[in-house]
Amino acid sequence: MSDTIKPARHAPKRPATGPSRRSVLKGSAALASGAMFAHLLPGAALALQPKQGGFARFALANGATTDTLDPGSWADTFGQTAFYGTIFNGLIEVDIDGNAVGDLAETFDTPDGGQTWHFTLRPGVTFHNGKDLTVHDVIASILFHGKEDSRSAVKSLLTPVEDITDDGDGKFTIRLSQGNIDFPYVLADQHFVMMPADEEGQIDWIQGIGTGPFILESFRPGISVIANRNPDYHKPGLPHFDKVEFLAITDPAARVTALLSGEVNYIASPDLKTLPLLERNTSIEILESTGLGHYTFPMNVQIPPFDDNNVRLALKYAMDRQEILKKVFNGHGLVGNDNPIAPSVKFSINPEPIHRYDPELAKEYLKKSGLDSLSVQLHVSDVVFPGCVDAALLYRESAAKANIDIEVIREPADGYFDNIWMKRPWVASFWSGRASADAMFTTSQAKGAPWNETQWEDPHFNELLVAARSEMDPDTRRAMYEEMQQLVHDEGGNLVIIFNNFVSAYDNSLAHGPVAPHWDHDGFRIAERWWFA
């Protein structure tokens, strides 16, 4: 099986404040030594002997009253961390080195270049209700996302699946219409979790019964999730906490207050403007990594004026991303270039020309569209990412020099991803990213993908996306993915502001081993892997 992570093509930008003794970034030296990821080890927090017990509380930056346990609906890091990484497991997971490895699948292999995949379930795994995990449950859990009326985020990933057969003795086979040597990364998506199925092959996601390290005690949408240690978890020695609680605290200042007051042990996304104050607190640790995530302002290219690529290019050149990175994110990230494939992902490129701030060039593209000026509305909320509103306001200032008037509309935090995202023509969004170019493009750019938030459809792009999955020649495959990235950069509706660093803060009662940097919160598995020192 091929790996899909490569060393970054350029060293990550260091924070403008400079890394403190409690702040460690992924380093190019470690990457050059052959590691796919450099694991994050803030020294004070690294305890080699995990301890059992305790009630850990985590404050996350997302969460809404419209959240549900439906695995196809987890649009932000609350569901992905409190549900995927805590209550449930998938067949495959991405390990801390960026490899696709078995979780509930003990083995998997392909005899024919990725068109046929054979799996064997890990024996002895039970659900929280005591039911044994079976192939029947697996098939129902996967097909749940592919139903005709499904709105699952991963519905498009199942398009190539022709059938799934139960081979007996915990074995099953998935046959694809075309080969995909990265298919294990598809199944590693955080939405493909396993749930118990009834005799008719239907899963009951409402009950919240999984195989994960914790058993759900309570779920109050938009408020909290509480769960207790699963004594029968299939990973030896895990988890360490007796009980965990995830709180949805969308206000950055409130999260910091909760941490400093001892209400919680860990917070996501502290306010970057006040991060140096937290760094000077000797009882607080800061964790920072360059992962796969990025912040965007996606445009719906089916709706005027965004249906004109000259307008899209004008808006891309009208954003001063360097200024936004410096003033809003204090240097904690890399400027985007309207390509959603993170620099650390295999086959990633930085397409030319670079979309640097150039108001005169933006005016030229406006003229090509027959306009001397442009007025548009941009819908934003700080629940999307910290600093979202400030980034939009700075964008408004830079765009004004290109005769573009951006009306920044602040939307309520609660229900943003249900009522605003993909409902308005131009919105703020974020992506945790995917570990392979195929998974990222299939989820976010492919024709018919439920989360194709720009509604951009390019026939040649879609042909390349299908063909690249089974292309065995590495040079040809690379060329295909590079061409796809160029097409998205040149004509797509993505406006990638930055590739954001994942930043979190926690009190020094917590400890952990090497941290997976590809997704936030230790690859969404903080509850499974961390412990009290």
Side-chain angles (χ1 to χ4, degrees):
M1 182 184 317
S2 65
D3 59 326
T4 62
I5 310 296
K6 66 174 184 177
R9 292 190 171 207
H10 48 273
K13 189 178 182 70
R14 299 175 67 177
T17 55
S20 74
R21 68 179 178 83
R22 299 184 296 280
S23 174
V24 182
L25 277 173
K26 182 176 72 174
S28 58
L31 291 169
S33 71
M36 292 178 185
F37 287 120
H39 309 133
L40 306 177
L41 300 169
L46 180 61
L48 296 179
Q49 297 297 326
K51 294 181 180 178
Q52 182 74 41
F55 183 9
R57 293 177 171 88
F58 311 97
L60 303 184
N62 306 113
T65 56
T66 50
D67 287 348
T68 75
L69 286 159
D70 178 348
S73 70
W74 301 336
D76 59 44
T77 56
F78 191 91
Q80 291 157 358
T81 307
F83 301 144
Y84 161 73
T86 303
I87 308 297
F88 301 99
N89 297 97
L91 294 170
I92 308 293
E93 64 176 315
V94 178
D95 70 10
I96 59 174
D97 292 317
N99 301 306
V101 299
D103 188 349
L104 295 178
E106 186 175 52
T107 66
F108 57 95
D109 64 80
T110 175
D112 56 5
Q115 189 161 3
T116 304
W117 286 91
H118 299 301
F119 296 83
T120 302
L121 281 182
R122 194 174 300 281
V125 176
T126 59
F127 288 103
H128 297 154
N129 61 358
K131 179 184 181 302
D132 291 335
L133 171 68
T134 67
V135 171
H136 178 69
D137 303 313
V138 170
I139 294 174
S141 296
I142 294 175
L143 296 183
F144 167 78
H145 298 277
K147 294 179 179 177
E148 186 174 353
D149 60 348
S150 170
R151 299 177 61 188
S152 169
V154 291
K155 183 177 182 179
S156 60
L157 294 175
L158 295 180
T159 302
V161 175
E162 289 195 328
D163 63 68
I164 309 176
T165 57
D166 186 342
D167 303 328
D169 296 327
K171 303 179 186 296
F172 63 99
T173 299
I174 299 178
R175 293 181 179 81
L176 308 178
S177 56
Q178 289 185 298
N180 184 353
I181 58 177
D182 283 339
F183 188 65
Y185 282 94
V186 170
L187 293 181
D189 189 285
Q190 57 268 31
H191 300 86
F192 284 124
V193 296
M194 299 299 112
M195 296 182 174
D198 61 20
E199 293 182 356
E200 285 72 41
Q202 304 298 316
I203 63 169
D204 183 6
W205 53 262
I206 295 176
Q207 302 303 318
I209 296 173
T211 60
F214 288 87
I215 301 170
L216 182 65
E217 176 183 308
S218 67
F219 168 39
R220 293 183 293 167
I223 300 174
S224 74
V225 166
I226 298 177
N228 299 293
R229 183 175 184 272
N230 176 7
D232 301 316
Y233 193 46
H234 65 277
K235 295 183 181 179
L238 296 176
H240 305 295
F241 300 123
D242 285 338
K243 192 169 189 173
V244 294
E245 180 176 19
F246 292 90
L247 294 161
I249 303 180
T250 57
D251 179 68
R255 287 197 298 276
V256 171
T257 299
L259 178 65
L260 295 177
S261 67
E263 179 185 353
V264 300
N265 306 103
Y266 174 101
I267 62 169
S269 305
D271 186 349
L272 297 177
K273 295 176 182 175
T274 60
L275 189 64
L277 296 176
L278 279 181
E279 289 180 323
R280 289 198 288 271
N281 187 324
T282 57
S283 67
I284 302 298
E285 301 284 347
I286 306 297
L287 186 65
E288 181 165 1
S289 65
T290 54
L292 308 176
H294 54 278
Y295 300 152
T296 72
F297 290 152
M299 299 168 264
N300 187 327
V301 304
Q302 301 294 328
I303 299 176
F306 309 112
D307 58 342
D308 185 334
N309 193 38
N310 288 312
V311 169
R312 300 199 291 271
L313 287 168
L315 289 167
K316 292 173 180 177
Y317 281 110
M319 173 179 278
D320 190 341
R321 303 172 213 231
Q322 287 288 358
E323 181 184 40
I324 291 174
L325 176 63
K326 179 181 178 181
K327 294 183 177 179
V328 178
F329 302 109
N330 284 359
H332 295 269
L334 294 169
V335 293
N337 186 32
D338 306 326
N339 172 20
I341 306 302
S344 59
V345 174
K346 189 175 184 178
F347 305 132
S348 173
I349 63 170
N350 197 20
E352 297 282 351
I354 304 298
H355 289 160
R356 295 187 179 90
Y357 179 50
D358 189 335
E360 296 305 315
L361 186 55
K363 290 178 184 176
E364 290 183 20
Y365 278 110
L366 278 187
K367 287 184 179 178
K368 288 182 180 180
S369 66
L371 300 171
D372 293 323
S373 63
L374 176 68
S375 295
V376 285
Q377 293 181 331
L378 174 60
H379 299 259
V380 301
S381 172
D382 276 339
V383 76
V384 183
F385 53 83
C388 177
V389 173
D390 288 344
L393 293 174
L394 271 182
Y395 183 21
R396 173 187 168 92
E397 291 181 11
S398 66
K401 297 175 183 177
N403 296 334
I404 298 174
D405 177 27
I406 298 175
E407 181 185 359
V408 177
I409 301 177
R410 303 185 191 204
E411 300 287 357
D414 190 35
Y416 177 89
F417 286 99
D418 294 282
N419 304 320
I420 303 301
W421 180 61
M422 297 189 68
K423 302 292 193 304
R424 300 288 187 267
W426 197 19
V427 300
S429 181
F430 82 99
W431 284 83
S432 296
R434 298 295 185 272
S436 73
D438 172 64
M440 188 68 215
F441 278 149
T442 302
T443 307
S444 68
Q445 307 292 327
K447 179 181 179 181
W451 281 6
N452 181 348
E453 56 192 359
T454 70
Q455 298 298 302
W456 180 70
E457 295 182 2
D458 183 277
H460 183 51
F461 173 90
N462 286 297
E463 290 173 359
L464 286 169
L465 183 59
V466 172
R469 292 171 184 150
S470 57
E471 178 55 56
M472 301 303 290
D473 181 81
D475 292 335
T476 302
R477 194 162 186 247
R478 171 178 293 279
M480 289 176 167
Y481 281 115
E482 290 182 351
E483 184 176 357
M484 282 184 263
Q485 292 170 77
Q486 191 70 50
L487 285 168
V488 171
H489 167 273
D490 293 348
E491 301 174 11
N494 291 298
L495 204 165
V496 181
I497 308 164
I498 67 164
F499 284 95
N500 58 292
N501 291 351
F502 296 132
V503 183
S504 56
Y506 55 98
D507 65 46
N508 55 18
S509 69
L510 290 179
H512 57 81
V515 172
H518 51 278
W519 289 327
D520 216 348
H521 317 315
D522 198 357
F524 301 141
R525 293 182 178 275
I526 186 170
E528 178 191 78
R529 296 171 177 163
W530 289 37
W531 63 90
F532 282 117

